[in-house]
Amino acid sequence: MKKSVSALLEQAATACAQARKGVALTGAGISVESGIPPFRGKGGLWEKIDPMKYAHIDALENNPAEVWQVLFMGITEVLQRAAPNAGHTGLFRLEQMGVLQTIITQNVDGLHQRAGSGDVIEFHGTHAVLRCMGCHRRYDWQEVSLATVPPLCACGAFLRPDVVMFGEPIDIKLLQRSQRLAAGCDVMLVVGTSATVQPAAYLPVIAKRNGACIIEINPEPTELTHHISDVPLLGAAGTVMERLVARVAQLRQA
Ligand code: NAD
Ligand code: ZN
């Protein structure tokens, strides 16, 4: 028999209240309520153009000006207006309660750190810093003129945000640390990710194999929902997280 939403929420809260080594895996969906549209699915910014077409390293290498104008400047603009939402602050509260150890995020928006979270693995890098394609020197955005894009490094090569694009590898140290955390966690909260981008999507599988309880928060069913998730909570990250955290706090005090 299918469990009711409140029964699932109680099950998730109980697992979190007992956890000591929780890990969260987050994706674009956790920042939707902050006004940052995901690449997949509905979202004003990307309705006319397909960001996936621009998010591959080959596109950047072949046509840097266009990728800069469409993708990087588009992201810069929405990030300027964005602030953490109840999804981000909820994960910070779980860290304060000693439930959550680390957040592994696929996002490049820095909102977990702004919400206060102390240990955030930026699996796909960060949009907050620029890096030279030639000599790898890093720049702050303020140091760089955007009068023409792509901006150039002192060495003559062009700059790009320090993010991992499709077709590029994940930093091996971050990957290994994430895999170790996934294998050692007691609860994994998977929030706002379609779990289709590898190798991040494999982390819940590692956690599950090693006995962790997988709690998933997403308004839509995903690849994980039926076979990997122990507790699927259907709903928006902010709303669900608020209810979950309030209940975990009650159970922890009891
Ligand atoms: P994705 O494939 O993980 O898809 C987004 C997921 O969020 C979907 O499963 C969707 O159902 C879910 N979602 C939508 N609204 C939600 C809400 N309110 N609460 C919880 N979940 C919600 O990610 P993508 O958009 O295809 O992005 C591909 C890559 O680009 C990823 O690495 C992603 O992190 C990155 N990206 C990052 C940002 C950011 O930094 N905020 C934004 C867009 C894309
Ligand atoms: Zn350079």
Side-chain angles (χ1 to χ4, degrees):
M1 206 180 69
K2 250 179 116 181
K3 283 190 178 165
S4 70
V5 175
S6 40
L8 287 169
L9 199 94
E10 191 61 23
Q11 192 184 344
T14 307
C16 286
Q18 289 164 359
R20 295 288 178 277
K21 292 184 295 178
V23 168
L25 173 66
T26 66
I30 196 168
S31 296
V32 166
E33 287 151 279
S34 295
I36 307 175
F39 283 175
R40 295 188 183 84
K42 278 187 239 130
L45 182 62
W46 306 124
E47 238 134 50
K48 289 197 194 79
I49 62 124
D50 176 8
M52 301 299 268
K53 203 176 106 189
Y54 296 93
H56 197 282
I57 184 63
D58 292 348
L60 179 64
E61 276 168 355
N62 295 333
N63 206 343
E66 198 180 352
V67 171
W68 258 94
Q69 274 151 12
V70 175
L71 187 68
F72 297 153
M73 295 313 288
I75 292 174
T76 304
E77 216 182 293
V78 284
L79 289 192
Q80 277 164 356
R81 295 191 298 264
N85 67 58
H88 304 99
T89 52
L91 289 179
F92 173 53
R93 282 200 61 204
L94 291 178
E95 176 188 315
Q96 288 180 309
M97 285 185 231
V99 170
L100 204 65
Q101 211 174 34
T102 302
I103 297 172
I104 303 167
T105 187
Q106 298 164 84
N107 297 342
V108 297
D109 57 30
L111 292 183
H112 288 300
Q113 291 91 328
R114 276 176 60 190
S117 293
D119 188 20
V120 181
I121 297 179
E122 291 179 310
F123 204 76
H124 291 161
T126 175
H127 193 79
V129 172
L130 296 167
R131 173 165 57 85
C132 173
M133 291 283 280
C135 69
H136 305 295
R137 183 173 157 192
R138 288 157 68 91
Y139 290 81
D140 286 333
W141 283 83
Q142 297 88 315
E143 292 177 79
V144 168
S145 162
L146 297 173
T148 54
V149 291
L152 299 181
C153 175
C155 82
F158 70 82
L159 304 178
R160 42 82 61 94
D162 196 13
V163 297
V164 178
M165 301 184 77
F166 290 108
E168 292 189 298
I170 305 292
D171 178 296
I172 187 71
K173 285 206 181 82
L174 293 188
L175 177 61
Q176 286 170 343
R177 180 162 182 245
S178 302
Q179 288 169 336
R180 275 199 306 276
L181 284 162
C185 68
D186 41 20
V187 159
M188 182 175 272
L189 276 158
V190 183
V191 190
T193 176
S194 66
T196 47
V197 180
Q198 292 294 359
Y202 201 62
L203 295 170
V205 180
I206 297 177
K208 172 100 174 171
R209 264 197 206 141
N210 286 276
C213 173
I214 314 294
I215 300 167
E216 187 185 18
I217 304 178
N218 198 309
E220 308 281 340
T222 71
E223 308 267 323
L224 302 174
T225 308
H226 300 297
H227 302 294
I228 301 293
S229 298
D230 296 290
V231 197
L233 300 173
L234 272 182
T239 321
V240 174
M241 192 72 73
E242 241 172 2
R243 288 180 63 192
L244 177 66
V245 170
R247 185 64 186 133
V248 176
Q250 280 176 345
L251 291 170
R252 275 269 162 128
Q253 275 159 13

